Amino acid sequence: MEISREEILHIAKLADLKINEEELENYKKNLEDILNFANTINKVDTQNVDISIGTIENVNVFREDEVVPFENEKGLLENAQDKEDNMFRIPKVI
């Protein structure tokens, strides 16, 4: 799809973009590519496609919660700025 220089400048004005002459051609080509791709997508026949295609029929597929003991408390606390009784000590937050 061909886009005119004036259309690019109008879109730039609407988007509050300041583009110079060197950028104008780059914007023009990119916008033409986007519109050509959109036209290609619009040509796809979706007449016999089910409206709910892509939805997942699974319900409540959560895993069970399991308590797993953490075995490397020392390694976890190595980078703590301040610790007390195998816990992180942080400043009071109110």
Side-chain angles (χ1 to χ4, degrees):
M1 175 176 215
E2 185 70 27
I3 298 192
S4 70
R5 179 181 187 282
E6 290 74 28
E7 288 173 314
I8 295 292
L9 292 173
H10 178 69
I11 292 169
K13 182 180 177 185
L14 292 174
D16 198 24
L17 296 174
K18 311 256 186 287
I19 59 174
N20 57 35
E21 289 298 322
E22 296 85 37
E23 295 173 320
L24 189 68
E25 271 306 309
N26 192 29
Y27 276 94
K28 183 177 184 294
K29 182 186 179 327
N30 287 336
L31 190 54
E32 285 175 352
D33 288 345
I34 291 168
L35 293 175
N36 287 333
F37 180 73
N39 283 335
T40 301
I41 296 298
N42 284 334
K43 292 177 187 175
V44 173
D45 180 22
T46 58
Q47 194 69 14
N48 297 322
V49 177
D50 183 19
I51 201 162
S52 65
I53 191 167
T55 59
I56 298 174
E57 301 296 328
N58 297 339
V59 178
N60 294 334
V61 290
F62 303 110
R63 64 176 171 80
E64 291 294 320
D65 288 337
E66 295 179 30
V67 176
V68 179
F70 188 75
E71 299 176 2
N72 190 9
E73 289 178 13
K74 183 179 177 185
L76 181 66
L77 294 170
E78 280 180 355
N79 293 324
Q81 290 180 351
D82 194 10
K83 53 190 166 199
E84 181 180 304
D85 297 327
N86 282 338
M87 294 182 281
F88 290 96
R89 183 181 168 122
I90 62 170
K92 188 174 184 179
V93 179
I94 293 192

